[in-house]
Amino acid sequence: MHKVILPLIGLMIVTGTALAQKQSLGLRMGDPVGVTYKRYTHTNKAIEFIFGTASPNWRRNYYENSFHEYDKYDGYIYRSHKLDNPVYLQARYLMHYSIPAEGMEGALQWYWGLGAMLKFGKVEYRYQEGPPGNNPRTDVRNTVDFGPDGIAGVEYTFEDVPLNVYGEVSLLIELADRPVTLQAFGAVGVRFIF
């Protein structure tokens, strides 16, 4: 993963320097874990791109429910799953609004927006037929999730340091792989402003 993230960060920094606009690059911890690039297009509007990943045991219930929905596994008993190399790509359009706070240095804002998420990877299922004691089987499937998402969050920009911190939640309406499934996400992070 780091072999992809480091060149991506370098490309964003070079591109950002050439654009000479207010933008930020940072780390995101949560769902997904990754890199975030945000560029302000107007006073209160921004676009954001996220490149991330998740842990191998991510969203246990989601993948267990998916197992039971596949016809191929009818009659089999789910035992576990492991998600290999999940990759998230997200694009968002955000609107920011000031939160007035007396005596506060820096700027506090809340934001909301709309975007889209594409997530893909491989999931390995372990399952068995019949009673416990039968030998477990494994099967690897490609998984692709796609859909629009709505975002809401809070962002604080320091006055004397070119950093901001944020926390947010989002709701994905999955159109593929499991149509019309809702997934909630949350994250916190920090960005360097340049």
Side-chain angles (χ1 to χ4, degrees):
M1 183 73 184
H2 65 353
K3 292 179 182 177
V4 174
I5 290 177
L6 292 177
L8 184 64
I9 290 172
L11 177 63
M12 288 181 186
I13 290 171
V14 169
T15 303
T17 305
L19 293 172
Q21 301 220 359
K22 187 175 181 186
Q23 49 203 335
S24 58
L25 180 68
L27 297 176
R28 173 186 170 93
M29 299 300 294
D31 199 1
V33 173
V35 177
T36 170
Y37 168 76
K38 191 171 187 179
R39 179 176 170 211
Y40 293 86
T41 58
H42 297 288
T43 305
N44 72 329
K45 297 177 178 88
I47 55 172
E48 181 183 21
F49 300 99
I50 298 168
F51 176 76
T53 190
S55 76
N57 291 315
W58 179 84
R59 295 196 179 256
R60 193 157 217 45
N61 291 336
Y62 174 83
Y63 285 103
E64 182 176 352
N65 292 338
S66 293
F67 174 87
H68 295 297
E69 291 180 5
Y70 292 125
D71 293 338
K72 176 180 180 176
Y73 303 122
D74 284 348
Y76 292 102
I77 300 168
Y78 169 89
R79 288 294 168 222
S80 64
H81 78 272
K82 184 173 108 177
L83 186 61
D84 288 331
N85 304 315
V87 174
Y88 286 76
L89 301 172
Q90 293 177 269
R92 302 162 154 197
Y93 185 76
L94 304 169
M95 305 279 286
H96 293 74
Y97 302 93
S98 293
I99 299 174
E102 285 187 40
M104 178 183 287
E105 296 181 4
L108 183 63
Q109 295 182 317
W110 70 276
Y111 60 90
W112 71 276
L114 298 173
M117 176 189 294
L118 172 65
K119 176 176 55 105
F120 53 91
K122 291 184 179 183
V123 61
E124 179 182 303
Y125 285 113
R126 294 190 77 228
Y127 58 97
Q128 68 187 47
E129 184 177 13
N134 285 354
N135 290 334
R137 301 180 183 189
T138 60
D139 188 28
V140 177
R141 298 183 63 92
N142 290 323
T143 176
V144 176
D145 299 337
F146 174 76
D149 64 345
I151 305 103
V154 176
E155 179 177 276
Y156 176 74
T157 303
F158 293 92
E159 184 174 356
D160 298 328
V161 180
L163 289 176
N164 67 29
V165 293
Y166 67 94
E168 67 178 35
V169 294
S170 62
L171 184 64
L172 171 72
I173 302 172
E174 188 176 343
L175 301 178
D177 186 35
R178 293 175 58 202
V180 196
T181 299
L182 297 177
Q183 294 186 49
F185 297 87
V188 295
V190 59
R191 296 187 192 96
F192 174 71
I193 302 167
F194 56 100

